[in-house]
Amino acid sequence: SRLASLRLSDSRRVLTGIASALRGQKEKGSMAPWWQDAYNWLLRQENGQERRKLAISGLFARAPEGSLPEELALRLFTKGGRLRGSVTRFERFKSCPFQHFAQYGLKLKERQEYRFQALDLGNLLHSTLREFGELLKADGRRWSEVGEVEWKAMVQEILARLAPRLQNEILLSTAQYRHQLERIRILAERSIRRLIAFDAASRFHPQVFERSFGRGVGAMPPLSYELGKARLEIVGQIDRMDFDEDGKYFLIIDYKTGQAYINLVEVYYGLKMQLLTYLLVARNLLSGTGAGEVLPAGMLYCFLRYPTYRAEQRISPEEARKKIESGLKMPGWVLADPEVIEAIDSKQQFIKVKLN
C-alpha cells in the first residue's frame, strides 16, 4: 500500500516500525508482509547491526531472576538490620515492586522544581487543621462551640504563620501564588466549617492530632515484626483520633486532598493498609494507658477538597449543596452497630454507611 511504501522509504522509521511489527507477531501471531521483507533486508545489512539489536532486544529480554537475591536485598533496603518505612512504601511494593526498587533501592528522585505542588497543599491543610484543633483543645472547647467570626480569624492567623514556611515563601512570591493562597484559605474554611458541623452532629470529638509513630521526638513506637535476617519497622503519622463522650470507643480519621476509598479486596492484597495500620497503632497506644479497653468504632477518610459537578440543566442552590455534600461524605469502615453509627453521625450526613 502507499502508506507502507512511505514507511519503508523513511530509514529513520524502519527500526521503530519493525520493532512494533515484531511485537504484533509475538502477541497476535501476524505481521504485515512488507515488514517481513523489511526485516529480512535489515538482517542482510552490515551497517547498523548494533542499532538493530537494540531496537528489537526488548521483545525478547528476560530478567535473570524473579527476585533480588536475599543478601543484595538486605544491602539495598535495610540499615542496621532494620527494614523501615511508611505504610505507603509497603503498599507501593505490593502494587509495583519495580517502582519500589527504583525509589527505595536505587534512590531515584524526580528533579525538584520551584513550584507549589499537591504535596505542599496537603501539608499546609494538614498543619492548619492540626493547629486549629490543638488551640481548641488547649482551651478545653469543642469545635462546634466556636463562632464563625472567631474560627475564621483563627484560620487566617494560622495560614499567615504557616504559609511563609513553604519553599522559601513560594506562596508569597508572585501575585499568582498569593491568589492561590487565598483559594487555599477558602478551602480551609470550607473544610473546617464541615468538620464543625460534624462535631455538632457527633458524640465523637477530636482529641489527638498528627500523632507520629516510629519517628520524631516523643513518637509512639513503630509497628515491629521479625523477618528472619531483618526487622520490619512501620512508621507513620495518624492525622486525627476522635473519642466518644463515654470514653469507650475511638475513631481514626485520615485527611485526604484527593480521592480515597477502601475495599476488602485491596486490603486482602496489601494495597490499602493505611487505615488498618493506624487502627492497630492506636490500639497499641491505648492498651498501655491503663484506662481500660477502648474499642475502635471505625476508620474514615475525610476529604479536604471542594468538588465540582456538571448538571445537564439548571439546578437550585439547595440541590447543588446536597450534591456537593454527598461527594464529601467520609468513606471507610465502621462497626456494624446501629448505636455506634448513631453516635458517630446522628444525622447520617457525614459518613457513608450501609448496613446489610
Side-chain angles (χ1 to χ4, degrees):
S1 68
R2 176 175 174 77
L3 179 59
S5 300
L6 290 174
R7 284 177 175 171
L8 296 178
S9 64
D10 186 350
S11 59
R12 296 172 301 176
R13 297 185 179 181
V14 169
L15 281 174
T16 302
I18 285 177
S20 178
L22 288 173
R23 186 177 296 109
Q25 174 68 35
K26 180 181 177 183
E27 296 176 355
K28 301 178 181 178
S30 64
M31 182 168 64
W34 58 82
W35 285 123
Q36 298 177 16
D37 295 338
Y39 180 68
N40 291 332
W41 170 82
L42 191 63
L43 290 177
R44 296 192 296 267
Q45 305 307 306
E46 295 182 359
N47 297 328
Q49 291 297 315
E50 290 301 320
R51 292 197 318 175
R52 175 181 63 81
K53 291 179 181 178
L54 182 63
I56 65 176
S57 61
L59 295 171
F60 311 102
R62 290 290 184 274
E65 294 187 31
S67 58
L68 294 175
E70 182 179 8
E71 292 302 321
L72 178 57
L74 288 171
R75 290 173 58 190
L76 277 175
F77 299 117
T78 66
K79 184 176 182 180
R82 297 183 300 172
L83 176 58
R84 190 176 177 87
S86 66
V87 186
T88 303
R89 170 180 176 173
F90 300 113
E91 288 176 343
R92 185 161 296 155
F93 173 77
K94 293 295 292 184
S95 174
C96 181
F98 182 77
Q99 185 185 25
H100 177 273
F101 168 71
Q103 182 173 352
Y104 297 100
L106 301 181
K107 305 293 192 298
L108 301 183
K109 297 181 180 179
E110 292 187 16
R111 180 171 60 90
Q112 290 189 348
E113 298 180 6
Y114 185 67
R115 60 188 179 91
F116 189 76
Q117 304 182 60
L119 180 62
D120 299 313
L121 172 62
N123 290 337
L124 183 56
L125 289 174
H126 277 66
S127 298
T128 300
L129 289 170
R130 183 200 68 235
E131 292 208 13
F132 184 85
E134 288 178 344
L135 286 171
L136 292 181
K137 182 180 178 181
D139 290 341
R141 292 193 292 171
R142 286 174 45 181
W143 289 42
S144 55
E145 295 174 348
V146 186
E148 182 170 344
V149 173
E150 182 182 0
W151 66 253
K152 281 188 174 182
M154 291 171 65
V155 171
Q156 184 80 28
E157 181 183 346
I158 292 170
L159 281 175
R161 186 167 62 253
L162 295 179
R165 302 177 188 176
L166 282 175
Q167 294 196 46
N168 298 318
E169 301 186 352
I170 187 172
L171 287 175
L172 307 178
S173 60
T174 66
Q176 179 181 357
Y177 277 130
R178 288 192 293 272
H179 174 69
Q180 187 165 358
L181 178 58
E182 178 63 16
R183 293 175 60 190
I184 292 171
R185 181 190 64 79
I186 294 172
L187 176 57
E189 287 183 353
R190 287 173 171 172
S191 299
I192 287 178
R193 177 183 284 111
R194 184 165 177 81
L195 287 169
I196 286 173
F198 173 57
D199 185 75
S202 177
R203 295 202 298 272
F204 282 77
H205 308 294
Q207 294 293 327
V208 177
F209 308 96
E210 292 196 1
R211 185 65 185 271
S212 296
F213 57 96
R215 60 187 179 195
V217 179
M220 297 180 291
L223 284 180
S224 299
Y225 303 94
E226 291 295 338
L227 300 178
K229 294 184 179 180
R231 184 175 184 82
L232 173 65
E233 293 187 352
I234 302 177
V235 303
Q237 180 175 273
I238 302 173
D239 286 342
R240 172 171 151 174
M241 289 174 59
D242 290 17
F243 292 83
D244 75 319
E245 295 169 356
D246 297 326
K248 296 180 179 179
Y249 295 96
F250 70 91
L251 183 67
I252 297 293
I253 293 181
D254 191 55
Y255 296 132
K256 293 294 182 184
T257 54
Q259 290 287 352
Y261 60 90
I262 183 171
N263 65 57
L264 188 58
V265 174
E266 291 191 317
V267 169
Y268 179 82
Y269 286 103
L271 301 173
K272 289 283 184 180
M273 300 300 296
Q274 192 175 42
L275 287 180
L276 284 167
T277 301
Y278 294 166
L279 201 71
L280 180 57
V281 170
R283 283 295 303 272
N284 293 344
L285 169 67
L286 296 171
S287 64
T289 61
E293 187 177 21
V294 184
L295 300 175
M299 48 191 186
L300 302 169
Y301 288 119
C302 176
F303 297 125
L304 306 180
R305 57 187 177 87
Y306 208 70
T308 57
Y309 296 96
R310 289 183 177 272
E312 297 298 327
Q313 57 188 9
R314 187 179 182 86
I315 61 176
S316 68
E318 180 63 20
E319 290 175 314
R321 183 187 63 81
K322 289 181 178 180
K323 198 169 185 64
I324 290 172
E325 287 183 352
S326 176
L328 290 174
K329 282 189 174 183
M330 294 185 279
W333 290 348
V334 297
L335 284 182
D337 183 331
E339 291 185 2
V340 173
I341 294 172
E342 173 77 11
I344 294 174
D345 181 5
S346 62
K347 297 182 179 181
Q348 299 294 290
Q349 292 181 350
F350 301 95
I351 63 174
K352 291 183 177 180
V353 177
K354 183 178 180 181
L355 284 174
N356 297 324

